[in-house]
Amino acid sequence: MSTVKVTDESFQADVLGSSQPVLVDFWAEWCGPCKQIAPALEQISEELAGKVTIAKLDIEQSPTTPSRYGVRGIPTMMLFKDGQMTAMKVGAMPKQKILEWLAEAGVAA
């Protein structure tokens, strides 16, 4: 499984209605650090398939959701469980740090 594209229209069903945790990466095409973490997120989506869904939301194409959740800088990663945002990180991180953050938030590898 690879990353899932999410939009303002699909956010309710794909993220809030998901039966498993969803890490949402708020990003934009022009954002260098967003592009830096993209390969790590792809790898994590493969490694943790069935445990967490990695979703990407383009803030340019879907501006409503980021403003609803107070996204001010990108990349911003938010973890949602049972329809609630449970953890957030702002800025690019190496893959290992993302995995550690997920583990701290209760998503075990």
Side-chain angles (χ1 to χ4, degrees):
M1 187 172 148
S2 61
T3 56
V4 180
K5 184 179 179 207
V6 179
T7 62
D8 283 340
E9 292 73 29
S10 69
F11 193 84
Q12 179 71 39
D14 292 348
V15 177
L16 302 181
S18 177
S19 59
Q20 69 180 12
V22 182
L23 186 161
V24 180
D25 172 30
F26 293 90
W27 73 288
E29 195 58 51
W30 46 262
C31 167
C34 298
K35 290 181 177 176
Q36 281 179 325
I37 67 169
L41 291 174
E42 285 288 342
Q43 291 170 1
I44 292 168
S45 74
E46 303 280 331
E47 292 169 19
L48 299 183
K51 295 187 176 80
V52 64
T53 299
I54 309 291
K56 297 178 74 66
L57 186 140
D58 186 327
I59 64 163
E60 299 278 302
Q61 295 172 355
S62 297
T64 306
T65 303
S67 67
R68 183 182 311 136
Y69 286 97
V71 174
R72 299 219 181 333
I74 54 171
T76 292
M77 292 178 282
M78 292 186 186
L79 186 65
F80 290 84
K81 288 185 195 168
D82 302 319
Q84 299 293 317
M85 194 258 288
T86 59
M88 178 173 83
K89 285 282 185 193
V90 179
M93 295 188 284
K95 178 182 168 189
Q96 193 54 42
K97 290 282 184 212
I98 298 171
L99 287 169
E100 288 168 13
W101 172 62
L102 284 170
E104 286 168 17
V107 178

